[in-house]
Amino acid sequence: MSELVTGEAVALELRPARLPSRALAVLLDLAAAVAVYIAVTIGLVAATASLDEAARTALSIAVFVLVLVGGPIVVETLSHGRSLGKLACGLRVVRDDGGPIRFRHALVRGLIGVIEILMTLGVVACIASLVSARGRRLGDVFAGTLVVRERVPAGQAGFVPPPPPWLAGRFTGLDLSAVPDGLWLAVRQYLTRMRQLDPAVGWSMAERLAADLAERTGTPVPPGVPPAAYLAAVLQERQAREARRAFGSGTAMGGGQSGAAGPAGVAAFPVPPAEHPPAQYPSAPHPAGPAAEVPPDVRPPVPPAVPGAVPPADVPGDRPSTGFVPPA
C-alpha cells in the first residue's frame, strides 16, 4: 500500500499501479492517439493539396505534436488524471500527496513522455518503472505524480468513520494550509485503527494528534468535543475543500451547515448535547476505583399550614399534578 493523503474521495491506501497495467493503459492511449492522428492527417492532406511540400510538412509536424503530445496533456488535465487507457484499466494519475493533478503536472509528464515513451519505444519508461519502489517513470518523478489503482477489493481500504452530525461542517473557518501531509496521514491512520487500540492508549494518541492539529491551525480544540471526533471533522473538512477545488462544486462530502462566526472569524463550535453522545468514538477512560455513592432522595420539607387555607381533597403524594379538574 502507498501512504497517500487524498482529497477527492479517493481512498488513502491505494495500491500504486505496476508495470503490466500501466503498459496496457499506455498502449490503449497510443492506439487512440494514432487513430486520431491518421484521421486528422487524411483530412489535412485532402484539404491542403494545393500547398507546396514545405507547408504540408510543417502542418504534418504540427498535427503530430498537437495530437500525440498535446492531446494526452489536455485529456489528463480535464479528466484529473484519467485518460482513455487509464479509465479502461482502473488507473488514475494523482499528486504525491494524493490530490488531483493540474496542468503543470500533465505538461511535465507529457513532455518527458515524448522522450521516454515515444522516442525510446518505452524502454526508458519500463526500466524506470521497474527500478522505482512505487512504479514511477521519469515523468512521474519530475512532475511529482503517481499512478495508482482505483479499483481495489472491497474491505481492503481503511474505513474512516464520519464525524457526528452535530459536528459535521463546523470547521469551515479553519486555516489548514500549515498542516503537513505527514500529520494528515497520521490522523487518517489513527481513525481507521482506533477501534483496534486499547481505550487509554487510543485516547492519549487522539489527544496528541488533536493538539498537534490545533497548533498547526492556530485554533484550540473546542471544549466538550472528543479528540477523535474533532480529528474526523477536520479531516472531512479538508477532503471537502479538496473535492470543491477538484470538481468546482459548492458542497462536497456531505458537510453540514457552518456555525455562527465568532469574534476571531472562526466558526463557532457547539458543545455536543448530553442526550446524543458520540457512540462511534471512544470515550475518555475512567480511573479504576469504587463507584461513588448516590445520595438518598431527600424530599423537600412540607411548608407549614396557613390558617384559613382549605387543603386539597385528593393530592397524590408522589405524582405530579396533571392540571385536570374533575366536574362538580
Side-chain angles (χ1 to χ4, degrees), residues 79-152:
S79 62
H80 301 288
R82 300 184 69 185
S83 60
L84 181 62
K86 293 180 178 62
L87 180 62
C89 298
L91 308 180
R92 179 190 287 269
V93 183
V94 296
R95 299 196 307 260
D96 281 338
D97 60 352
I101 65 172
R102 304 190 183 278
F103 173 74
R104 60 184 180 88
H105 303 96
L107 179 62
V108 174
R109 295 184 77 254
L111 294 180
I112 300 181
V114 174
I115 301 175
E116 62 175 340
I117 295 179
L118 297 180
M119 298 181 63
T120 62
L121 300 179
V123 175
V124 176
C126 292
I127 296 176
S129 181
L130 291 174
V131 172
S132 175
R134 296 191 292 179
R136 301 199 301 175
R137 62 179 178 88
L138 295 180
D140 295 318
V141 174
F142 286 100
T145 58
L146 176 67
V147 181
V148 297
R149 293 175 53 187
E150 286 190 313
R151 300 171 188 171
V152 293

Side-chain angles (χ1 to χ4, degrees), residues 43-300:
L44 187 62
V45 169
T48 59
S50 59
L51 298 178
D52 56 357
E53 187 67 23
R56 284 184 292 181
T57 303
L59 288 176
S60 300
I61 295 176
V63 170
F64 175 84
V65 173
L66 290 177
V67 175
L68 295 181
V69 180
I73 295 175
V74 174
V75 170
E76 285 191 355
T77 303
L78 297 179
S79 62
H80 301 288
R82 300 184 69 185
S83 60
L84 181 62
K86 293 180 178 62
L87 180 62
C89 298
L91 308 180
R92 179 190 287 269
V93 183
V94 296
R95 299 196 307 260
D96 281 338
D97 60 352
I101 65 172
R102 304 190 183 278
F103 173 74
R104 60 184 180 88
H105 303 96
L107 179 62
V108 174
R109 295 184 77 254
L111 294 180
I112 300 181
V114 174
I115 301 175
E116 62 175 340
I117 295 179
L118 297 180
M119 298 181 63
T120 62
L121 300 179
V123 175
V124 176
C126 292
I127 296 176
S129 181
L130 291 174
V131 172
S132 175
R134 296 191 292 179
R136 301 199 301 175
R137 62 179 178 88
L138 295 180
D140 295 318
V141 174
F142 286 100
T145 58
L146 176 67
V147 181
V148 297
R149 293 175 53 187
E150 286 190 313
R151 300 171 188 171
V152 293
Q156 291 189 4
F159 170 73
V160 178
W166 49 267
L167 199 59
R170 300 293 181 177
F171 296 90
T172 55
L174 289 182
D175 182 12
L176 306 179
S177 59
V179 182
D181 296 333
L183 184 55
W184 289 123
L185 177 62
V187 169
R188 185 181 178 97
Q189 288 182 342
Y190 165 76
L191 292 176
T192 56
R193 297 174 175 86
M194 64 180 181
R195 287 300 178 183
Q196 305 172 5
L197 303 175
D198 180 77
V201 176
W203 185 267
S204 62
M205 290 180 59
E207 287 183 334
R208 289 198 302 268
L209 290 174
D212 294 342
L213 195 58
E215 181 181 0
R216 298 286 185 173
T217 58
T219 304
V221 181
V225 177
Y230 168 77
L231 295 175
V234 177
L235 181 62
Q236 185 191 55
E237 174 62 26
R238 193 251 183 177
Q239 293 176 343
R241 294 183 186 181
E242 288 290 337
R244 287 194 295 267
R245 189 180 300 113
F247 302 106
S249 57
T251 304
M253 303 296 295
Q257 296 179 354
S258 301
V266 182
F269 310 110
V271 178
E275 63 272 17
H276 298 290
Q280 71 269 33
Y281 294 98
S283 58
H286 299 282
E293 297 183 359
V294 181
D297 185 16
V298 180
R299 193 178 302 277

